[in-house]
Amino acid sequence: MIPKSHPRYESLLLRDKMVKAAQEGYLADSALIAHGRGEAFDYLIGEKTTYPAKRAMYVAVAALLLSNNPVISVNGNATALAIDEIIELANAIDAKIEINLFYRTDERVKLITQLYKNHGYKNILGTLDDDIEYINDIPNNRATASKSGIYSADTILIPLEDGDRAEILKKGGKNIITIDLNPLSRTSKMSDVSIMDNIVRAIPFMTKIAEDLKTQDKKVLIDMVNDFDNEENLKESLEQIRIKE
Ligand code: PTJ
């Protein structure tokens, strides 16, 4: 039990979730390394949501609400850290959720499918019995996608995604939104909207934004998306990383 008074309470709580998920067997072998990298970047931004991240989140939600077939792609790490929050966001923006694993094994897909079902989300895509296609006909594990999900999606939210996979989606003509604490990652650079924030803060914040933007005129949302410059916003995100005592 971590005492609430511990100065690193929130961070230790997330570590606990990751360790528990690893023990349950649904994380990739390198999941804890990826988490550690995220932690380091989070530390450098003061473990707070920055202004450029908030701006990117507004644009991301606008883009998702404007889409015909929005999909939230989930892997082991995202599931371990924010399963309930992801389900809430999907319901708020009327998006599908698809299991999309970089290190895909049948066993992990089975365990993650069951988790979403146990948490009340029945229509999870990317399962073992789903209709899987290859994006751009690339015969490679990284190009697999559910026919009614990522394969036919126009906008995809890909939190904590690997660069190779992001590149395949981008080449497939998808509008890509990422949540990635590393503003220098290939995924962040390649995406149309990059949110440099911790998934545990970003997803609930996006659900709140959705409640607000849903009542806005479509034209307002279109203008938000068109006025956004991801490269510029990433530059501003990077400026939030300050090494000071
Ligand atoms: O479950 P799988 O098989 O799909 O594998 C998942 C991982 C994350 C292991 C896999 O996709 C991977 O290796 O990813 P990378 O290339 O390490 O990229 C993950 C990115 O997420 C890195 O840039 C991290 O900085 C970032 N990251 C880690 N934790 C968080 C995060 N970003 C936001 N919130 C976090 N909590």
Side-chain angles (χ1 to χ4, degrees):
M1 232 340 230
I2 309 153
K4 270 200 168 161
S5 57
H6 194 288
R8 308 280 318 138
Y9 177 73
E10 296 294 337
S11 170
L12 293 179
L13 215 61
L14 297 187
R15 282 192 177 184
D16 242 28
K17 281 191 175 182
M18 292 297 292
V19 169
K20 186 166 165 274
Q23 285 163 351
E24 286 174 20
Y26 68 86
L27 290 189
D29 289 343
S30 59
L32 296 178
I33 300 171
H35 183 74
R37 180 180 295 170
E39 265 189 353
F41 278 102
D42 207 13
Y43 200 89
L44 293 174
I45 58 167
E47 293 164 330
K48 288 203 172 63
T49 302
T50 63
Y51 180 72
K54 280 186 189 164
R55 183 198 284 135
M57 280 191 253
Y58 270 90
V59 174
V61 174
L64 287 160
L65 288 172
L66 288 168
S67 300
N68 293 320
N69 189 14
V71 175
I72 303 175
S73 162
V74 292
N75 59 19
N77 289 49
T79 300
L81 294 171
I83 183 168
D84 290 323
E85 293 79 3
I86 288 168
I87 294 171
E88 254 183 77
L89 176 63
N91 290 334
I93 59 174
D94 206 11
K96 295 169 182 164
I97 303 177
E98 177 168 341
I99 300 168
N100 159 32
L101 304 183
F102 184 63
Y103 302 102
R104 191 179 168 96
T105 65
D106 285 359
E107 183 56 21
R108 291 186 62 214
V109 172
K110 214 158 78 184
L111 287 168
I112 294 173
T113 302
Q114 199 51 50
L115 265 179
Y116 279 88
K117 292 193 172 163
N118 292 350
H119 283 248
Y121 190 82
K122 307 286 174 225
N123 300 321
I124 185 85
L125 298 173
T127 60
L128 293 181
D129 48 14
D130 201 350
D131 203 353
I132 300 290
E133 300 269 344
Y134 289 100
I135 297 169
N136 288 352
D137 293 327
I138 303 170
N140 157 338
N141 257 351
R142 293 176 197 178
T144 55
S146 162
K147 200 172 174 184
S148 60
I150 289 176
Y151 185 76
S152 56
D154 42 0
T155 304
I156 314 169
L157 173 61
I158 48 167
L160 287 66
E161 182 62 274
D162 157 89
D164 286 355
R165 173 93 188 169
E167 193 169 0
I168 288 171
L169 296 174
K170 186 74 204 147
K171 280 191 183 147
K174 312 291 184 185
N175 191 24
I176 301 180
I177 299 162
T178 190
I179 300 170
D180 189 332
L181 278 160
N182 180 2
L184 299 167
S185 74
R186 269 197 302 144
T187 303
S188 289
K189 287 185 176 166
M190 212 174 295
S191 295
D192 298 283
V193 183
S194 306
I195 300 162
M196 182 196 69
D197 201 10
N198 197 317
I199 187 173
V200 300
R201 292 190 299 269
I203 298 270
F205 194 69
M206 289 170 78
T207 304
K208 278 201 195 130
I209 294 172
E211 296 311 329
D212 175 16
L213 292 191
K214 263 198 235 173
T215 59
Q216 296 289 334
D217 209 70
K218 203 172 162 186
K219 164 97 175 55
V220 174
L221 306 191
I222 294 172
D223 286 347
M224 282 171 75
V225 173
N226 288 342
D227 291 346
F228 182 71
D229 180 338
N230 200 47
E231 215 179 302
E232 194 50 46
N233 203 59
L234 265 182
K235 238 188 258 168
E236 271 187 52
S237 300
L238 199 53
E239 284 163 12
Q240 306 295 316
I241 299 177
R242 298 237 167 79
I243 316 279
K244 48 182 179 233
E245 283 188 67

